[in-house]
Amino acid sequence: MQDEDEEDLCAALPSDFPMADLLETCHLLAEADVCVPGYIPPPVGLYHPNGFFYEQDFEGIQTWLLPDRNVASRLAQLAQGAAVRGDQQLRIAAGLLAFSQCLHIEAEPSIAFHELAHKQGNEEAWTELGWFRAANNAVSQDLLDLALGRQDVLSRRYEAHVVNPRLDLATPIKRWNRNYIIALKMLELEQLSLLPIDRVLRLFNWMRDDFMFGGPAALMASVYFAPNSPPRRRVFKDKNSLDREAAIAGVRNAAWDLTHLSEFVRRVNEEGRDGKTRYLFASFDKHLRKIAKLLFDFGTDRSRDEALPEALSQWWGSSDAQRIAVEMRGHLDHIRSPQWKAKVAPRPDFIGELIREGEDRLRDVEPRGNA
C-alpha cells in the first residue's frame, strides 16, 4: 500500500520537478543535520521528501521552518549575491531554503528579526527582512544549483522586498525579557560557592517562588551547571571579560537563544499531539540544537518521563540527573495543572526592576579572567 502511495505522489508532481537535485540536496542536509523536528520524523527519515509529500497529501499536515538568527541572516545574504565558496553555512542555507520551497515548508523567522532589531535597530532589521523575503521567493532551481556547487552565487538578480516601516521589531518582546532575567540569575548563581546540583535547584526554586518557571531556561541551566564537560563555553560569551558591559551583552545573546527555544516549544505544545501543523527549528549552533532536542524529548507535552534523566546522565551522575528530572517535572506539572494561576507582577515596573538589579549585580562581579 505504501509503495502505491509513493507512486501516486510521484505521479502528481509536475514534469519539471527537480527530484534528482532535491534528493541530492536532502543528502547534503542529512549530513549537516541543522534541523530539530518538533515531532517524530517518519520512517523514511527527516530529510526525505516522500515523508513530506505523504503527510501533506494524505494527512493534510503543514510544516513550518523556524530559523534562528544565523540561519535567517545567511538566507538574506544569498539574495544579496553573497558567494558560497568557502562558506559551508551559506551553501547549507541555500539547500535548506530549496528543500523548504520544493516541499511547501513555510518559513517563520520573526524571532530572528526581533533579535536583530533589538541589537541594531528597526532600520537594520527591515533591510535584512526585505532581503530574507527576496531569498524566500527565489527560484528553487537557482538555490539547488547553489547548494550543489554548480555555481557560487545565485544566477538571477533579486531585489529586497519592501517592509512596512511601521513594523516595530525593536521593542523587546515579553518572552525575551523573562528569559533575560533568568539568564542574569544563572550567571549570578555561578559566582556563588555552591555545588553544581545546588545551583540548579536554587534556580528552580527562585523561578517558582520569586519569578516564573520556564522549561527551556530550566533545561539550559541543567546542562550549563553540569559538572562533567557540559557544552557551556558558548552559552555566555565574555562572561569573565574585564568589560562588564560585554559580559552583559553575552547574557542578552543567551536570552535570545532561550527565546528561540521557548518559541519552538510554545508552538509545538499549542499544536498538541493530533495537530496538523509541525515545526522544524533550524540552527547552525550544535549546542542550541542539542538543547532543542532535549526540549522536545522532555520539555513538551509529547515527552517521555524517562527521557531527561537519560539525556542528563552524560553530564551528571545518575542520582543528580534523576533528582533534576524529578524537580523539573514537578514544577512543570504544577504550572500545567488546572488549578495553577500565573503570577501577577506586584508593581508596574517589576520586570524592569529585576533587569536593572540583575545587570547591577553582574557589573559588581570581579572577573575571574578573560573567557
Side-chain angles (χ1 to χ4, degrees):
M1 182 64 180
Q2 184 68 27
D3 291 339
E4 293 178 4
D5 290 340
E6 291 183 4
E7 290 177 4
D8 291 341
L9 291 172
C10 292
L13 294 173
S15 59
D16 60 348
F17 187 84
M19 180 60 84
D21 285 353
L22 176 60
L23 288 172
E24 191 174 347
T25 299
C26 288
H27 179 71
L28 178 73
L29 293 175
E31 288 186 339
D33 200 20
V34 298
C35 292
V36 177
Y39 57 93
I40 298 174
V44 293
L46 175 61
Y47 299 98
H48 199 290
N50 284 353
F52 292 93
F53 290 143
Y54 184 86
E55 290 170 349
Q56 290 166 8
D57 293 352
F58 291 90
E59 299 180 3
I61 290 174
Q62 172 66 58
T63 303
W64 286 80
L65 179 72
L66 306 177
D68 75 354
R69 174 80 196 90
N70 285 334
V71 174
S73 178
R74 295 295 189 277
L75 294 174
Q77 291 171 30
L78 290 173
Q80 296 177 72
V84 302
R85 180 177 297 176
D87 191 330
Q88 185 66 3
Q89 288 188 356
L90 275 174
R91 192 175 297 282
I92 294 300
L96 181 62
L97 187 54
F99 171 83
S100 299
Q101 289 182 348
C102 290
L103 301 177
H104 304 294
I105 298 170
E106 300 288 344
E108 173 48 83
S110 60
I111 298 297
F113 289 103
H114 278 291
E115 178 180 355
L116 177 59
H118 189 213
K119 295 176 180 178
Q120 300 185 35
N122 272 321
E123 292 283 350
E124 190 74 20
W126 294 336
T127 298
E128 188 168 299
L129 177 56
W131 283 111
F132 175 90
R133 290 177 177 172
N136 202 29
N137 285 274
V139 176
S140 299
Q141 187 61 60
D142 205 4
L143 291 162
L144 288 168
D145 289 340
L146 200 62
L148 298 177
R150 297 179 184 137
Q151 56 199 45
D152 284 327
V153 297
L154 292 173
S155 61
R156 295 167 176 81
R157 292 179 60 86
Y158 298 95
E159 298 294 333
H161 288 211
V162 176
V163 176
N164 185 346
R166 290 177 294 181
L167 180 63
D168 184 9
L169 297 169
T171 300
I173 56 180
K174 291 181 180 179
R175 189 175 298 111
W176 181 85
N177 281 333
R178 295 193 294 262
N179 288 326
Y180 183 42
I181 291 168
I182 295 172
L184 287 167
K185 190 68 175 181
M186 286 173 59
L187 215 52
E188 176 189 340
L189 288 170
E190 187 177 21
Q191 305 301 320
L192 302 180
S193 298
L194 297 170
L195 294 174
I197 184 66
D198 291 331
R199 292 192 178 106
V200 174
L201 299 182
R202 185 175 291 195
L203 179 69
F204 288 2
N205 291 335
W206 171 81
M207 286 194 287
R208 179 198 62 200
D209 297 335
D210 299 324
F211 190 49
M212 60 170 292
F213 196 85
L219 188 53
M220 180 176 277
S222 299
V223 175
Y224 180 74
F225 288 134
N228 301 328
S229 302
R232 73 169 66 203
R233 178 175 295 274
R234 295 185 61 189
V235 176
F236 295 111
K237 298 175 183 177
D238 298 315
K239 65 178 182 179
N240 293 324
S241 172
L242 295 174
D243 180 356
R244 301 315 291 157
E245 298 308 312
I248 289 174
V251 182
R252 292 192 180 116
N253 285 333
W256 280 113
D257 287 346
L258 282 171
T259 303
H260 282 285
L261 295 174
S262 61
E263 177 69 4
F264 173 56
V265 170
R266 181 189 70 80
R267 287 175 178 265
V268 170
N269 281 340
E270 282 187 353
E271 192 60 25
R273 291 177 179 271
D274 302 319
K276 295 297 184 181
T277 304
R278 290 180 174 173
Y279 296 97
L280 288 171
F281 173 67
S283 175
F284 294 121
D285 188 327
K286 292 180 180 179
H287 168 72
L288 206 56
R289 295 200 304 269
K290 183 173 291 187
I291 298 296
K293 180 65 167 59
L294 285 176
L295 277 168
F296 174 70
D297 287 342
F298 182 78
T300 70
D301 295 340
R302 308 180 188 188
S303 307
R304 298 180 295 116
D305 286 344
E306 69 274 16
L308 187 61
E310 291 175 1
L312 291 180
S313 292
Q314 60 189 305
W315 302 299
W316 294 88
S318 58
S319 61
D320 283 343
Q322 185 64 39
R323 188 177 177 188
I324 290 170
V326 169
E327 290 285 336
M328 191 183 301
R329 175 61 69 187
H331 289 304
L332 291 174
D333 287 346
H334 173 69
I335 64 177
R336 291 171 182 168
S337 69
Q339 295 78 26
W340 181 80
K341 293 183 180 180
K343 291 186 177 73
V344 177
R347 295 174 297 281
D349 194 33
F350 180 63
I351 295 296
E353 289 175 6
L354 290 178
I355 288 175
R356 288 189 292 273
E357 290 171 3
E359 290 178 343
D360 287 343
R361 281 193 290 268
L362 191 53
R363 290 186 180 100
D364 291 339
V365 169
E366 182 176 346
R368 298 176 180 175
N370 293 327

